[in-house]
Amino acid sequence: MDAALVAFAADGTVTHWNHEAARILGWTADEAVGRTGLAGWAVRKEDADGIEAALAAAMRSPGRQVHEFALLTKDGHRVLVRTQASAVRGPGGRVAGVYCAFSEVHTQMDLERSIALSEALFEDASWGVVLVDADLRPAVVNAHAARTLGVGRTALLGRPLGDLLAQGVEELECALQHVLAEGAPPAAAELWVTLRSEEAELPRRCWRSGFVRLASPLTEEPVPLGVAWLFQDVTEAKRTEQDNSLLRFRAHQLHRAGRAAAECPDPAEAAAVHLDFALAGFADHGLADLATRPAPAPYGAVADDDADDAYDTYGAHDTYDAYGTRGTHDIYGTEATGDARDRARAQAGTGTGRGAGCALVRTLASPAGAPGPSEAFTATGIPVPYPPGHPAFQAFQRRGPVRTSAGAAPAEGWAAARHWPDGTVHGLCVVLRSRGRTLGVLTFLRSPARRPFDRADADYAEEVAARIAACLDLSGAASS
């Protein structure tokens, strides 16, 4: 900020008057220099005594004296200025005059507010603030941003953004380059990023970000100094918003499916309608397998108490996996550990336990190739050749959902070994139950483009399975 400069000799004569003083008061240097005092032309006579006394005190005092004066412009208007006056001494230390620098009070206050705002943003702000230079490297970082990024304030300076972010750095750099070239965007942007960590993969975070281009006020042409990046972590709010949106969508799908199924004269067709509506936004493929009643034991043989598992009432044999959901993970997958894996091996792998000896017959399936409606299969009675320990068998035996995943690097033939369509990497099996009986298993499958199934997905799948099971039970397919 430019300051107006005025110098007075010891007798009060104006000896110096710069361009900023001429701009503020309207008096040129030729008109001001040589005048004695300010009274009558630059100051009202009523205010002159106080101003002259303050200037005289500044000549007698060490250091600078700060005052606020009401000066008079050439056209007769008053303007409030803040002055800093200090004595001017000659070679022998004798006071030769007084030097006075002043500026309009509102301009000075604007400058002070700007400085105070900058200090507050970099110390106490609840938003992260990062000043990025023209090379897209952090130049100044406030305390909140350093905590969010997980490093010290000085450790960030001069480092490429790619050293801090594992994902989302391309979107952030693109936004910064756009602001440098075109200016600030009209609205805040939401960026999903992942912090870089050598110890473990950190979860994705959503940062609501605003950008402001910085230019130097000291040059005639605006020269960009960089970008001020302000951001706030809104991950929890965004996830809650997404979860609520997902719940509304799924509830709407269940409602639409119920309305459409009510118009189907064939209950098997209604089951297919329920499956088609459930796949939208949820999975890539859906399979419904019904259990067949095992052959009766020879006369006199001791029958296993689990032989009629498919027709038992809902018992107290539900199990819970390590993540708290009913059922267990597939023993072929990468997530089955501890007791869940032991139970799966003991019951599914050895052919013992509740439901042992049952077979699953394909009844309903979505097309594996081109998209289209799900189709019902003719009741041939030929079971699907699932291997022992298959997730469908595990779900049937435990009467609860089973989630499985191929992991980050799926093994070749992972889906084929489970008799699932090619490209499947995530599976979810839930039981079909109606009137207290376990009728079969409903399987949802996802490709690599989708995330693995979670507990909320299992709850939704169970709701869909209950509706499909009621339709299949009504159609008589289960009893046949």
Side-chain angles (χ1 to χ4, degrees), residues 246 249-250 253 256 274-284 444 450 460:
L246 182 61
F249 172 76
R250 290 178 175 178
Q253 286 296 97
R256 293 179 59 199
H274 279 290
L275 181 59
D276 289 335
F277 275 92
L279 290 177
F282 181 69
D284 297 294
F444 290 104
R450 299 180 186 266
Y460 177 65

Side-chain angles (χ1 to χ4, degrees), residues 96-329:
V98 62
Y99 205 71
C100 181
F102 66 90
S103 62
E104 296 177 85
V105 168
H106 69 84
T107 303
Q108 182 73 18
M109 292 181 65
D110 289 343
L111 176 62
E112 292 177 359
R113 289 192 187 104
S114 298
I115 296 174
L117 175 61
S118 299
E119 293 295 332
L121 285 175
F122 285 102
E123 295 297 336
D124 306 323
S126 59
W127 282 61
V129 182
V130 180
L131 298 189
V132 182
D133 60 20
D135 296 328
L136 304 186
R137 295 173 183 263
V140 185
V141 180
N142 77 337
H144 185 90
R147 288 193 301 268
T148 303
L149 294 170
V151 293
R153 296 180 64 175
T154 57
L156 288 171
L157 306 183
R159 295 174 59 184
L161 295 173
D163 292 349
L164 308 174
L165 303 178
Q167 296 179 1
V169 63
E170 295 85 0
E171 292 81 357
L172 176 57
E173 289 182 344
C174 180
L176 294 172
Q177 290 173 348
H178 172 79
V179 174
L180 282 172
E182 304 293 337
E190 292 178 349
L191 303 176
W192 284 90
V193 300
T194 302
L195 296 177
R196 188 175 298 280
S197 175
E198 298 179 357
E199 298 177 358
E201 183 177 356
L202 299 177
R204 296 175 69 216
R205 312 297 299 177
C206 181
W207 291 346
R208 182 171 293 145
S209 303
F211 303 93
V212 180
R213 183 169 63 178
L214 303 179
S216 174
L218 303 179
T219 58
E220 296 182 0
E221 302 248 345
V223 177
L225 297 177
V227 177
W229 170 34
L230 297 87
F231 65 92
Q232 187 177 40
D233 194 326
V234 294
T235 306
E236 298 305 323
K238 291 298 294 183
R239 285 179 177 167
T240 301
E241 179 183 336
Q242 291 175 351
D243 291 344
N244 293 337
S245 176
L246 182 61
L247 287 176
R248 288 193 300 269
F249 172 76
R250 290 178 175 178
H252 185 57
Q253 286 296 97
L254 291 173
H255 173 74
R256 293 179 59 199
R259 294 289 298 272
E263 303 300 325
C264 298
D266 183 7
E269 181 184 354
V273 168
H274 279 290
L275 181 59
D276 289 335
F277 275 92
L279 290 177
F282 181 69
D284 297 294
H285 302 291
L287 310 172
D289 303 323
L290 293 183
T292 60
R293 193 183 187 95
Y299 179 77
V302 178
D304 185 5
D305 61 353
D306 300 322
D308 293 334
D309 175 73
Y311 299 89
D312 287 345
T313 58
Y314 198 88
H317 289 268
D318 303 325
T319 59
Y320 294 82
D321 65 10
Y323 297 88
T325 56
R326 251 177 344 119
T328 179
H329 286 69

Side-chain angles (χ1 to χ4, degrees), residues 267-276 278-279 283-292 359-367 374-386 390 392-393 395-396 418-421 428-433 438-445 461 464-473 475 477-478:
E269 181 184 354
V273 168
H274 279 290
L275 181 59
D276 289 335
L279 290 177
D284 297 294
H285 302 291
L287 310 172
D289 303 323
L290 293 183
T292 60
L360 297 176
V361 178
R362 181 63 43 81
T363 302
L364 193 65
S366 62
S374 300
E375 58 178 342
F377 288 79
T378 305
T380 62
I382 301 176
V384 182
Y386 287 143
H390 192 278
F393 287 147
F396 185 85
R418 290 154 181 77
H419 293 275
W420 287 339
L428 171 62
C429 298
V430 294
V431 290
L432 295 168
R433 289 190 61 83
T438 302
L439 305 182
V441 178
L442 179 64
T443 302
F444 290 104
L445 305 173
V464 175
R467 297 167 183 250
I468 293 178
C471 294
L472 294 178
D473 193 15
S475 70

